[in-house]
Amino acid sequence: MTGTMKPIGQVEGNALIDLFGRDKAIIGVVHLAPLPGAPRYSGEAIETVYQRGLDDARAYLAGGCDAVIIENHGDIPFSKPDDIGPETSAYMAVVSDRIRRELHRPIGINVLANAAIPALAIASAAGAGFVRVNQWANAYIANEGFIEGEAARAMRYRARLNAHGIRIFADAHVKHGAHAIVADRPVGEQVKDLVFFDADVVIATGQRTGHAADLDYISMIKQAAGLPTLVGSGVTPENSNDILSVADGVIIASSLKYDGVWWNAVDPLRVTNFVAGIRR
């Protein structure tokens, strides 16, 4: 018997392989239409919202993506975590469960903005395998104002649900915000905080939705993390193979939508061509 122990809380294995059976994973984002309670919801039947989400998920997965993340991206402007109503979790749980049951593929949940506890509740109810959390550790100034890391509250909530199998995909230096609060610490050090707080996968992004991250920046984050690292913005057919020469997978949406616009429906032909180009 030796005195060497694995780090406290560290999960053995590779989360991407455990969830998807491969690294170099391709994950499509289902941008849900505005949900009841959100400013842009115009009163259409909730079944219409559900069907739009299901159609987009079907297009991603039929085209060869490994998984989808279901996200309330239509609920602009986004609320801070404690201001998100229970109706958001209820509607997202229903559509997420329908997607998983019909398509029998891994799903993830992201509740904007930074609502890790609702995301875990939805994931537990709908049988999702992972959640994405944009600010897992530390703090920053986002469009929504001051946003704090959710790791401590979220991990205790996950333990109360006995949902330890739900993996944490955590953004590093996430888009749509300023990180000057912790600017006295290098980005690489902030990435290590995600690992220390038990993230399973790290996500690198550019400055905004659709903005590509620099390859050297992605490489720095991956090296600092020592965990599977995804790129979560700005992925296109033109840059995807370069990105995947560095990263372990991609999260993609905008460039697979009709006309390349994030709020449009997913274009099945774009998905098929994108996946085929990568798998070659």
Side-chain angles (χ1 to χ4, degrees), residues 14-223:
N14 181 311
L16 298 183
I17 293 174
D18 292 345
L19 286 167
F20 315 130
R22 67 161 87 233
D23 57 6
K24 306 303 179 184
I26 306 171
I27 304 172
V29 184
V30 175
H31 291 142
L32 294 175
L35 298 169
R40 298 189 185 186
Y41 177 66
S42 59
E44 66 266 39
I46 190 60
E47 288 296 332
T48 302
V49 176
Y50 292 160
Q51 190 60 51
R52 162 74 183 272
L54 187 55
D55 288 345
D56 280 355
R58 189 183 293 118
Y60 282 127
L61 296 175
C65 290
D66 298 296
V68 294
I69 296 176
I70 299 142
E71 185 177 279
N72 60 324
H73 206 18
D75 288 357
I76 300 168
F78 305 125
S79 295
K80 290 184 177 182
D82 291 340
D83 296 328
I84 295 173
E87 68 280 355
T88 300
S89 296
Y91 292 119
M92 288 188 68
V94 171
V95 69
S96 299
D97 181 67
R98 290 188 184 186
I99 289 170
R100 183 190 59 80
R101 286 178 182 274
E102 176 172 324
L103 300 175
H104 304 289
R105 300 288 288 282
I107 64 170
I109 308 295
N110 186 19
V111 183
L112 300 167
N114 211 53
I117 289 176
L120 285 165
I122 295 162
S124 179
F130 63 101
V131 297
R132 179 179 183 177
V133 184
N134 300 126
Q135 190 68 24
W136 184 243
N138 299 310
Y140 80 128
I141 301 298
N143 302 139
E144 300 79 31
F146 179 59
I147 300 293
E148 297 181 77
E150 286 284 273
R153 293 201 308 163
M155 293 301 271
R156 284 163 174 78
Y157 184 70
R158 190 180 73 168
R160 290 202 299 273
L161 293 180
N162 195 27
H164 301 282
I166 299 173
R167 300 301 189 96
I168 306 298
F169 287 32
D171 282 84
H173 214 241
V174 67
K175 59 191 175 183
H176 294 295
H179 299 261
I181 296 170
V182 287
D184 57 329
R185 300 179 68 234
V187 174
E189 286 298 313
Q190 297 176 49
V191 172
K192 292 179 187 296
D193 293 339
L194 304 178
V195 181
F196 186 57
F197 281 178
D198 294 340
D200 298 292
V201 173
V202 171
I203 303 169
T205 66
Q207 291 297 311
R208 70 194 70 85
T209 299
H211 180 252
D214 177 82
L215 292 180
D216 289 339
Y217 176 77
I218 298 166
S219 181
M220 177 274 294
I221 287 178
K222 178 177 170 63
Q223 184 175 0

